[in-house]
Amino acid sequence: MNTSIEMKKKILLYNYFGNYIITRNAVADIFERLNNAKGEEIIMDFNKIEFISRSSADEYIKRKLAFNKRLVEKNISPNALAMFFLVIKQSKLKEPIITITS
């Protein structure tokens, strides 16, 4: 099994998680795989992701802050976006963490 993500600039998260991102470990795993991706910017496409748990959103933000490439989020559902905003508010982060494109 290939443990690295193909050299793409766009990652369709549904292909890795299905409709739900539930655990910290799942998010940690995708970021470990992304370490091998080429390019300065990676689009994280949340199309079809209906739910992200609070712990997964927290892990995503922590990993994104430490990541050495620019991540841009696309197609985030209102439910997932609300969870990200909750985590950002609870963490008292002042900078914009989630970059939303359509």
Side-chain angles (χ1 to χ4, degrees):
M1 181 174 141
N2 186 357
T3 59
S4 66
I5 292 177
E6 291 180 9
M7 309 307 175
K8 295 180 182 178
K9 290 189 178 187
K10 181 177 177 183
I11 306 300
L12 184 59
L13 295 173
Y14 174 82
N15 291 340
Y16 298 93
F17 300 115
N19 296 108
Y20 308 103
I21 305 174
I22 298 175
T23 67
R24 285 184 184 274
N25 288 341
V27 174
D29 182 57
I30 197 79
F31 273 87
E32 290 301 318
R33 293 174 182 215
L34 285 173
N35 282 330
N36 297 324
K38 289 187 177 179
E40 293 298 315
E41 180 177 285
I42 300 171
I43 297 171
M44 303 294 275
D45 192 338
F46 281 77
N47 190 35
K48 298 183 183 178
I49 300 292
E50 297 172 13
F51 173 82
I52 184 168
S53 69
R54 193 220 169 277
S55 63
S56 296
D58 181 64
E59 187 69 21
Y60 183 94
I61 289 170
K62 287 179 182 176
R63 295 281 181 148
K64 181 176 180 175
L65 287 170
F67 202 58
N68 60 354
K69 296 175 178 123
R70 183 172 189 269
L71 294 180
V72 176
E73 291 76 24
K74 183 176 182 179
N75 298 320
I76 300 179
S77 73
N79 289 339
L81 190 58
M83 189 61 72
F84 278 119
F85 285 150
L86 174 67
V87 170
I88 290 166
K89 182 178 178 181
Q90 290 175 340
S91 301
K92 297 183 174 121
L93 296 169
K94 302 207 189 269
E95 61 185 276
I97 302 302
I98 301 299
T99 309
I100 304 167
T101 64
S102 52

